[in-house]
Amino acid sequence: MSIELERHGHIALVRLNRPEARNALSPEMVVGLVETWKELRDDDNVRVIVVTGTGSCFCAGADLGELAPLLSGAKTPVTAEDKAIAADNSLIFQAVLRDFDCEKPVIAIINGHAIAGGMEMVQGTDIRVAVPGAKIGVQEVKWAIFPAGGSSVRMPQQMPFAKAMELLLTGDTITSEEALAYGFLNYVVPPEELLPKAMEIAEKIAANGPIAVKAIRASARACLGLPGKEALALELVHAMPVFDTEDAREGPLALMGKRQPVYKGR
């Protein structure tokens, strides 16, 4: 399977599994990712999603040899996945988390280079842990292509504007250490510490009230870039329903009772 899914309690681990092609997104992978994101969004038992690659590369982006001919009409769709993408090319944007929101925290384990669509998928995540020396960037401009997976919007929001513009317009890459310094990554750790570090973070999040986690994440994303007064008003739209939940009553009771809370997501 080119997309592997494991469940560890309330944590889902998604693996891009096409190491021989640097996990470049084939039609099968695109459709598989979209199906996986939807499945995890709709699974109430899943509270945190972790995504990584197999082998020495996180994701080299779209497999242009397979996807580009489908989009241009130069290739006749053969497989069911080919036909799905030919009929709806927005599936590619959903796969890299541009046009799809899992509605739950997504942690990226960047086990190697994250280039083009791979970098754009990382931009769609919330928390990022990477190995030393991984190359990160969007190089589409070098080939007269637009990085349309959200990069011209998200990169200037997620790292200093001037650096984001340099990377967008030159097509250069930066190392994970540089990305950490720019605030684009949370941690850079040795390869053997990648999964433990990501799971440590995921377990902390999964132990919290799931409704509160989803609402806080949704508010932070929705309010990003809005004027202060408008953002604060929108924050309350996300916040107030949380106070009416069973979990919001359980949390303070557990605190006062000096016990671990038992959250039920309702």
Side-chain angles (χ1 to χ4, degrees):
M1 294 290 291
S2 60
I3 304 297
E4 296 182 344
L5 175 60
E6 302 172 13
R7 285 180 167 81
H8 303 269
H10 293 302
I11 302 167
L13 176 60
V14 179
R15 294 184 186 274
L16 311 181
N17 188 33
R18 199 180 173 220
E20 72 283 359
R22 301 190 302 161
N23 297 320
L25 300 176
S26 64
E28 179 187 357
M29 291 182 75
V30 166
V31 173
L33 272 172
V34 173
E35 291 174 348
T36 300
W37 298 144
K38 290 180 178 179
E39 176 182 345
L40 297 178
R41 178 198 60 189
D42 297 337
D43 185 342
D44 290 337
N45 189 57
V46 173
R47 299 182 182 178
V48 186
I49 301 167
V50 179
V51 60
T52 190
T54 300
S56 59
C57 187
F58 174 75
C59 178
D63 188 328
L64 295 181
E66 293 195 29
L67 286 176
L70 279 177
L71 300 178
S72 68
K75 176 185 176 182
T76 301
V78 177
T79 67
E81 293 83 5
D82 287 350
K83 293 174 183 177
I85 292 171
D88 181 8
N89 57 36
S90 73
L91 291 173
I92 298 171
F93 296 137
Q94 294 178 51
V96 298
L97 299 175
R98 178 193 190 273
D99 291 349
F100 187 83
D101 184 4
C102 293
E103 300 178 8
K104 299 169 184 179
V106 182
I107 300 173
I109 297 180
I110 304 168
N111 57 298
H113 302 334
I115 306 296
M119 162 62 156
E120 294 183 314
M121 188 186 301
V122 172
Q123 292 171 50
T125 66
D126 302 289
I127 297 171
R128 300 128 189 196
V129 184
V131 291
K135 291 183 179 179
I136 296 172
V138 289
Q139 297 187 300
E140 282 87 342
V141 73
K142 289 179 177 290
W143 323 119
I145 301 172
F146 193 108
S151 289
S152 68
V153 175
R154 288 174 167 169
M155 280 180 65
Q157 293 175 335
Q158 297 182 11
M159 64 175 68
F161 176 82
K163 191 63 190 181
M165 293 307 297
E166 179 185 349
L167 296 178
L168 285 166
L169 299 177
T170 64
D172 288 345
T173 61
I174 54 175
T175 64
S176 51
E177 290 84 355
E178 291 174 288
L180 178 66
Y182 295 133
F184 185 75
L185 302 178
N186 295 78
Y187 301 95
V188 173
V189 299
E192 65 273 14
E193 296 180 21
L194 271 179
L195 183 58
K197 185 62 179 178
M199 293 301 285
E200 174 192 340
I201 299 169
E203 286 164 3
K204 288 181 180 179
I205 296 171
N208 295 331
I211 296 175
V213 166
K214 287 180 68 174
I216 292 167
R217 178 184 179 275
S219 178
R221 285 174 164 245
C223 294
L224 190 64
L226 293 180
K229 188 174 183 179
E230 185 178 344
L232 290 171
L234 182 56
E235 180 188 55
L236 289 181
V237 173
H238 290 281
M240 296 312 294
V242 176
F243 292 100
D244 293 329
T245 64
E246 288 184 25
D247 285 353
R249 292 187 286 276
E250 164 66 7
L253 286 173
L255 177 62
M256 290 185 291
K258 298 181 180 180
R259 61 175 175 80
Q260 289 297 312
V262 179
Y263 295 126
K264 299 179 180 178
R266 57 177 188 258

